Amino acid sequence: MATLVTGGAGYIGSHTVVALHGAGRDVVILDDFSNASRRAVDAIRSLARSDLPVEEGDAGDSQVLDAVFGRHRIDSVVHFAARKSVAESVADPLGYYRSNLGSVISLAAAAIDRGVPRLVFSSSATVYGSASAPPVTEESPTVPESPYGETKLMGERILADAAAASEMSVISLRYFNPVGAHPSGLIGEDPSGEPANLVPRIMQVAAGRRERLDVYGADYSTVDGTAVRDYVHVMDLAEGHVAALDADIAPAHSRTYNLGTGSGTTVLQILAAASEVLGTPIPHEMAERRPGDIEASWADCTRALDELGWQARRDLAQMLTDHWNFVRQQSSC
């Protein structure tokens, strides 16, 4: 039996595949490679197993899912495949609703039809919006401020309803801000096109691929005027998925968990930390706020610790060191 990982060649997906393999699970990747590199597959296989199965296709396509479930014995699913840019979702809301929710519905139906007992959903802290002062708990109000955030919250609700009407259990993991890379430097965040997230843009400046970093918003009510986020190492997130698949959740039930460090860091603090790790200043310029961005967000992860036995173990310096190691290795290829 194997775990199907949709979007398994992407950033968090690839690290989770490696973590699942390390925990003794067989894995099947399904990815359409719209936002992932095919080179990542070779790296994943070198870290896991050389014959790890990879299926190419859209997780929202029922015919693709029929074929994948027909070829492999699947007993659990981790669903990452989704479009994930806040700013892009504001510009293309219908595209985001169609893609992100279509894949949730198609995948849940396929899993339930085949009696798959456990599905783990890649959700996001963007479901909270700015309605609650941080730290946010899983019981904090959910008021997304972008179509992307709405698709994640709707995805959680769709899956919770589907679980209640079936024998499948669902765990939704609300990530805060993933940073870092596998310590080998073989896999990491390598977005195609313009990176949506802060640290990849910092690394592009450091690598000489970008002239400077634009810091979006300098007038927030924070310690230095820039936005605050909870940055968590991608390997900690990957290990959270292993814990979620092993969790004692009854059939026909669903549960949500925050995955973060429990502390916030401003954009300028990240810049200072990156400059120290890289040994060079990062040129930057202040810019207007982006649509859909919120002022401050960090997690209360008590539930994940109490119920999953999970907590983040790697600090900000480790996140940035591992991320830079990956970028340098990719630049030398």
Side-chain angles (χ1 to χ4, degrees):
M1 305 299 288
T3 299
L4 175 64
V5 181
T6 71
Y11 178 39
I12 306 175
S14 61
H15 291 80
T16 298
V17 168
V18 172
L20 290 169
H21 175 78
R25 291 179 177 269
D26 288 332
V27 179
V28 175
I29 290 174
L30 172 61
D31 206 301
D32 67 1
F33 295 98
S34 61
N35 194 35
S37 168
R38 286 177 172 80
R39 287 194 307 169
V41 172
D42 292 335
I44 294 166
R45 284 173 169 159
S46 72
L47 293 168
R49 46 181 279 195
S50 60
D51 61 345
L52 189 148
V54 177
E55 300 276 0
E56 184 168 355
D58 182 354
D61 187 324
S62 297
Q63 291 184 333
V64 168
L65 294 173
D66 284 343
V68 171
F69 277 94
R71 281 192 288 267
H72 305 279
R73 299 177 63 209
I74 304 299
D75 69 348
S76 55
V77 175
V78 182
H79 181 40
F80 291 104
R83 297 172 68 181
K84 61 178 185 176
S85 166
V86 168
E88 185 183 60
S89 78
V90 173
D92 182 22
L94 294 181
Y96 266 68
Y97 287 119
R98 181 183 300 112
S99 177
N100 289 4
L101 297 181
S103 64
V104 166
I105 293 168
S106 296
L107 186 60
I112 291 170
D113 285 348
R114 291 158 179 82
V116 173
R118 174 65 53 86
L119 188 149
V120 176
F121 177 55
S122 166
S123 190
S124 168
T126 57
V127 302
Y128 296 114
S130 55
S132 298
V136 294
T137 73
E138 292 83 355
E139 303 305 321
S140 294
T142 48
V143 188
E145 298 181 8
S146 68
Y148 167 71
E150 290 284 5
T151 66
K152 288 302 183 180
L153 184 58
M154 290 180 186
E156 290 184 14
R157 290 171 174 168
I158 289 168
L159 290 171
D161 288 344
S166 69
E167 291 299 305
M168 184 171 68
S169 64
V170 170
I171 290 181
S172 294
L173 300 178
R174 294 173 176 171
Y175 314 148
F176 281 68
N177 290 66
V179 178
H182 190 273
S184 67
L186 294 176
I187 54 174
E189 187 167 18
D190 186 20
S192 56
E194 178 79 9
N197 298 326
L198 173 64
V199 172
R201 289 186 284 117
I202 290 175
M203 297 300 170
Q204 286 188 356
V205 173
R209 294 164 56 189
R210 181 183 296 271
E211 182 180 343
R212 68 174 188 278
L213 175 76
D214 289 327
V215 177
Y216 297 109
D219 56 349
Y220 290 109
S221 299
T222 62
V223 64
D224 58 23
T226 61
V228 175
R229 297 291 183 269
D230 186 338
Y231 296 91
V232 57
H233 199 295
V234 67
M235 286 305 301
D236 282 324
L237 286 184
E239 291 161 5
H241 293 78
V242 178
L245 286 174
D246 291 340
D248 184 18
I249 304 292
H253 286 73
S254 59
R255 196 75 166 139
T256 59
Y257 296 94
N258 288 338
L259 297 187
T261 64
S263 61
T265 307
T266 70
V267 174
L268 291 183
Q269 287 169 343
I270 284 280
L271 274 171
S275 295
E276 184 172 345
V277 166
L278 276 56
T280 184
I282 306 296
H284 60 279
E285 186 173 290
M286 310 312 289
E288 295 295 320
R289 299 184 188 187
R290 293 182 301 184
D293 280 351
I294 62 174
E295 180 170 284
S297 177
W298 65 88
D300 181 320
C301 300
T302 303
R303 179 184 289 180
L305 177 60
D306 291 347
E307 298 183 13
L308 302 181
W310 177 91
Q311 62 180 343
R313 299 185 293 111
R314 299 161 178 89
D315 63 14
L316 183 60
Q318 188 67 56
M319 300 176 209
L320 294 169
T321 297
D322 288 343
H323 209 125
W324 180 232
N325 181 38
F326 168 74
V327 170
R328 285 188 301 173
Q329 289 203 38
Q330 296 305 298
S331 298
S332 64
C333 291

Coordinates of all heavy atoms in Angstrom, one line a residue, residues 8 34 39 51 67 72 90 99 113 121 148 156-157 165 171 179 192 221 240 256-257 285 295 308 311:
G8 N 3.5 16.3 -5.5 CA 4.6 15.8 -4.8 C 6.0 16.2 -5.4 O 7.0 15.9 -4.7
S34 N 3.1 22.0 -13.5 CA 2.8 23.4 -13.9 C 3.6 24.4 -13.0 O 3.9 25.5 -13.4 CB 1.3 23.7 -13.8 OG 0.9 23.5 -12.4
R39 N 13.3 18.2 -12.8 CA 14.6 17.9 -12.2 C 14.4 17.4 -10.8 O 15.2 16.7 -10.2 CB 15.6 19.1 -12.2 CG 16.2 19.4 -13.6 CD 17.3 20.3 -13.5 NE 17.0 21.5 -12.7 CZ 17.9 22.4 -12.3 NH1 19.2 22.2 -12.6 NH2 17.5 23.5 -11.7
D51 N 13.3 3.9 -7.9 CA 12.1 3.5 -8.7 C 10.8 4.1 -8.1 O 9.7 3.6 -8.4 CB 12.0 2.0 -8.8 CG 11.8 1.3 -7.4 OD1 12.1 2.0 -6.4 OD2 11.5 0.2 -7.4
A67 N -7.0 6.4 -13.5 CA -5.9 5.7 -13.9 C -4.8 5.5 -12.8 O -4.3 4.4 -12.7 CB -5.2 6.4 -15.1
H72 N -2.1 1.8 -8.8 CA -1.4 1.7 -7.6 C -2.4 1.4 -6.4 O -3.6 1.8 -6.5 CB -0.7 3.0 -7.3 CG 0.2 3.5 -8.4 ND1 1.5 3.0 -8.5 CD2 0.0 4.4 -9.4 CE1 2.0 3.6 -9.5 NE2 1.2 4.4 -10.1
V90 N -6.0 37.3 -6.5 CA -6.8 38.5 -6.5 C -7.1 38.9 -8.0 O -8.2 39.4 -8.3 CB -6.1 39.7 -5.8 CG1 -6.8 41.0 -5.9 CG2 -6.0 39.3 -4.3
S99 N -9.6 25.8 -10.2 CA -8.4 24.9 -10.0 C -8.4 24.3 -8.7 O -8.3 23.0 -8.5 CB -7.1 25.6 -10.4 OG -6.0 24.8 -10.2
D113 N -14.6 6.7 -3.1 CA -15.0 5.6 -3.9 C -14.2 4.4 -3.7 O -14.7 3.2 -3.8 CB -15.0 6.0 -5.4 CG -16.2 7.0 -5.7 OD1 -17.1 7.1 -4.9 OD2 -16.1 7.6 -6.9
F121 N -4.8 17.3 4.0 CA -5.0 18.5 3.1 C -4.1 19.6 3.4 O -3.9 20.0 4.6 CB -6.5 19.0 3.2 CG -6.8 20.2 2.4 CD1 -6.5 20.2 1.0 CD2 -7.3 21.3 3.0 CE1 -6.8 21.3 0.3 CE2 -7.6 22.4 2.2 CZ -7.4 22.5 0.9
Y148 N -7.3 33.1 -2.8 CA -6.5 32.0 -2.4 C -6.9 31.5 -1.1 O -7.1 30.3 -0.9 CB -5.0 32.4 -2.5 CG -4.2 31.3 -1.8 CD1 -3.9 30.1 -2.4 CD2 -3.5 31.6 -0.6 CE1 -3.2 29.1 -1.8 CE2 -2.8 30.6 0.0 CZ -2.6 29.4 -0.6 OH -1.8 28.4 0.0
E156 N -11.2 23.0 3.1 CA -11.3 22.3 4.4 C -12.8 21.9 4.7 O -13.0 20.8 5.1 CB -10.9 23.3 5.5 CG -9.4 23.6 5.6 CD -9.0 24.5 6.8 OE1 -9.9 24.6 7.7 OE2 -7.9 25.0 6.8
R157 N -13.7 22.8 4.4 CA -15.1 22.6 4.6 C -15.6 21.5 3.7 O -16.4 20.6 4.2 CB -15.9 23.9 4.5 CG -15.6 24.9 5.6 CD -16.2 26.2 5.3 NE -16.0 27.2 6.4 CZ -16.2 28.5 6.3 NH1 -16.7 29.0 5.2 NH2 -16.1 29.2 7.4
A165 N -19.7 12.2 5.7 CA -20.6 11.4 5.0 C -20.0 10.1 4.5 O -20.6 9.3 3.7 CB -21.2 12.1 3.8
I171 N -7.5 15.3 7.8 CA -6.7 16.3 8.6 C -6.3 17.4 7.7 O -5.7 17.2 6.7 CB -5.5 15.7 9.3 CG1 -5.9 14.7 10.4 CG2 -4.5 16.7 9.9 CD1 -4.8 14.0 11.1
V179 N 10.0 27.9 4.8 CA 11.3 28.4 4.5 C 12.3 27.2 4.5 O 12.0 26.3 5.2 CB 11.7 29.5 5.4 CG1 13.1 30.0 5.1 CG2 10.8 30.7 5.4
S192 N 8.9 28.5 -10.7 CA 9.0 29.0 -12.1 C 8.4 30.4 -12.2 O 7.3 30.6 -11.7 CB 8.3 28.0 -13.0 OG 7.0 27.8 -12.6
S221 N 1.5 48.5 11.5 CA 1.7 48.8 13.0 C 2.5 47.7 13.7 O 2.0 47.0 14.5 CB 0.3 49.0 13.6 OG -0.4 50.0 13.0
G240 N 5.5 17.1 9.9 CA 4.1 17.3 10.4 C 3.1 16.4 9.6 O 2.1 15.9 10.1
T256 N -8.3 20.1 12.3 CA -7.4 21.1 11.7 C -6.3 21.3 12.7 O -6.5 21.3 13.9 CB -8.1 22.4 11.4 OG1 -8.6 22.9 12.6 CG2 -9.1 22.2 10.4
Y257 N -5.1 21.6 12.2 CA -3.9 21.8 13.0 C -3.1 23.0 12.4 O -2.9 23.0 11.2 CB -3.0 20.6 13.1 CG -3.7 19.4 13.8 CD1 -4.3 18.5 13.1 CD2 -3.6 19.3 15.2 CE1 -4.9 17.4 13.7 CE2 -4.2 18.3 15.9 CZ -4.9 17.3 15.1 OH -5.5 16.2 15.8
E285 N 14.4 47.9 -1.4 CA 13.7 49.2 -1.5 C 12.2 49.0 -1.0 O 11.6 48.0 -1.3 CB 13.7 49.6 -3.0 CG 13.1 50.9 -3.3 CD 13.3 51.3 -4.7 OE1 14.5 51.6 -5.1 OE2 12.3 51.4 -5.5
E295 N -1.3 42.2 8.0 CA -0.2 42.9 8.8 C 0.6 41.9 9.5 O 1.9 41.9 9.5 CB -0.8 43.9 9.7 CG 0.2 44.6 10.6 CD -0.5 45.7 11.4 OE1 -0.7 46.8 10.8 OE2 -0.7 45.6 12.6
L308 N -0.7 15.6 18.0 CA 0.2 14.9 17.0 C 1.6 14.6 17.5 O 2.3 13.9 16.9 CB 0.3 15.8 15.8 CG -1.0 16.2 15.0 CD1 -0.7 17.0 13.8 CD2 -1.8 14.9 14.6
Q311 N 6.2 19.4 16.9 CA 6.5 20.8 17.1 C 7.7 21.2 16.2 O 8.5 20.3 15.8 CB 6.9 21.2 18.5 CG 8.1 20.5 19.1 CD 8.3 20.8 20.6 OE1 7.8 21.9 21.0 NE2 9.1 20.0 21.3

